[in-house]
Amino acid sequence: MTTGQVGAVRRRAGQDPKTWSRRFVANNGPLMGLVVLCVILEFASHHVFLTAGNLSNVLVQASTIAVLAFGQTFVIVAAGIDLSVGSAAGLTAMVSAWMFTSAQFPAGIALAAGLACGVVVGAVNGLAVAWGKLPSFIATLAMLSIARGLTFVISGGKPIPTPSSVSFFGSMIGPIPVPIIVLAVMGIACAVVLNLTVIGRSMYAVGGNIEAARLAGLPVKRILVTVFALSGLFAAVAGMVIAGRLQSAQPGAATGYELNSIAAVVIGGASLAGGVGRASGTLVGALILTVINNGLNLLNVSAFWQQVVMGVVIALAVFIDVIRHKGLSH
Amino acid sequence: MRKLHRWASVALSAAVMVSLTAGCSNPADGGSGADASGKVALLLSTMNNPFFVSIRDGAQQEADNRGVSLNVLDAQNDPTTQANQVQTAVANKATAIIINPVDSDAAAAAIRPALDAKIPVVAVDRGITGVTVDSFIASDNVAGGKQAADILAKAIGESGEVIVLEGIPGASSTRDRGQGFTDRIKTYPKITVVASQTANFDRTEGLDVTTNLMQANPGVVGIYAQNDEMALGAVAALGGNTAKAVKIVGFDGGDDALADVKAGSMVADIAQQPKLLGKQAVASISDILAGKTVDKTQSMPVETVTQDTVDKFTQANS
């Protein structure tokens, strides 16, 4: 809670025009990092990076990780962690594809079933955490395994072609790729829920101090279930984007993406201790991860060095943020 | 202090979970291994992948032909389970072991009981690090890389820019398929490899990396993907018509890729022959048991499959 209050005070102080620009820079360290990264890549890539085509690629490629990370933001704000988002994304897309091809349901119903499956997976996580008293790390680790296993069971280990309702997520509306629209819609949804709804504000309270939230009369258990259910729903949407882009649901889709989604949220300035986190920060975090991948490809950097660079940038991004906060509070 | 408690409980529950999962696999091993006596044990890494199922099919066919009784065990991609299976096979006096390691490094320790008991061992598809087994049988990935270079060169008229999608960094298949290609493509002076990037043998990554590389190198006319999944990602990245203009060569011979070769969106696929791997493993084992000598390493040929030959290849390997 204390960090949340400091943030609120800072935001209010930021309205003073004299210090506004300084505050903006101080409060948006990750964004500054992203800008610097983009400038470096633009010159290093001989002006290929900042072309409309490449920026569109970056946004499309960021869409899956960003949508997963938006869902993860709810969980991390509420002081939890969701390790099952990658598996949930794989499972939900597979459920949709299977409903359409094997069970012969209409495309629209197949899509709805996939999204509902994401909500169920998330809600089960939430129930295990809220009522089962499992640490979220363990509950979602179990779900990571269960959901991936079910994906293999349903698919028999083979890719299944997706219905038109899912393939739509990988298509274009006019000149704009649908994944970019999905990215925008889910990002706005995440920001609205966190900032403008009672349940969203309650997540900060639960994450800041769960005991205080309980004593203040907040329905902590219901909030936790909602948090994980939202994460499951966002994972399902990400799953549809991945499947839509490949026109098929892959049994191994999104394996390991949970770690990237957590990294995106933390790079974006959230605290794993809970109570702090913003949708805009998460977006920046996801973009940083994607831009690094894109840039290393453009520069044709060797695969061995790519992993080193990725690790160093993740560590640096969070380290700078830690230093910055310390510097301000002392 | 409370925090400490919480972490302790997390660690404890994690430990319990790990031991539970490890425990689960044990009874199954004992059960299926019980009738392994006097048989050749075939220890597969996983049956959750059509490639390894084909190895099993080929091995079973050859075993039936030669009157060898085969006991097939699936390690479900868990090196520990595989180590247990080796122990059980040795304890049940299996006459020989054919192992398809889950992990080349982990298999070095796992196979020790069999070596100590002087049971003949043949490794299939993946080798065992630091251990010389009686025979190691795998696809000739270096030759496959060279074949890929030749067919790609032919498809683009022996000139132009090409890109390479690499597999998981450090994997032996990545090294061998890359080396064969690099060595051979050098002999075409008008072809330049403008970028070589990993997409980790993954279809989604193949899609993203291809998109990025095409952005940096719009003049590319050919793509060599070191497995089928990445080739299919490249096809998705380029879309139907562009995929036909840019020539894509994949590697493995999976159903999806062969369908794309047939449809023309991939120009060729370098097909492994998993059935042949399985057959050769059983043939080698029965030769060794009969006292004949077999080569320590056996490279099985891979086949260049194009639109013209795809039907013939599919028939021969179904």
Side-chain angles (χ1 to χ4, degrees), chain A residues 86-95 98 117 121 143-160 249-253 255, chain B residues 48:
Chain A
S87 297
L91 175 64
T92 51
M94 190 59 79
V95 165
W98 179 85
C117 171
V121 165
M143 185 56 81
L144 176 153
S145 177
I146 294 168
R148 183 64 65 193
L150 287 176
T151 312
F152 279 113
V153 170
I154 295 172
S155 63
K158 286 183 178 165
I160 304 183
Q250 303 284 321
T255 304
Chain B
N48 205 343

Side-chain angles (χ1 to χ4, degrees), chain B residues 19-37:
Chain B
S19 55
L20 276 179
T21 28
C24 284
S25 47
N26 282 333
D29 303 338
S32 50
D35 56 350
S37 174

Side-chain angles (χ1 to χ4, degrees), chain B residues 58 89 112 123 125-126 137 141 155 161 169 186 190 196 204 216-217 219 236 246 252 267 272 293 299 315:
Chain B
R112 190 55 54 195
D125 185 51
R126 298 176 189 142
I137 300 161
N141 281 319
E161 296 181 345
K186 277 184 202 148
K190 287 183 192 157
S196 184
T204 320
N217 312 284
V246 178
D252 271 345
V267 68
Q272 296 200 72
T293 50
S299 293
Q315 272 168 17

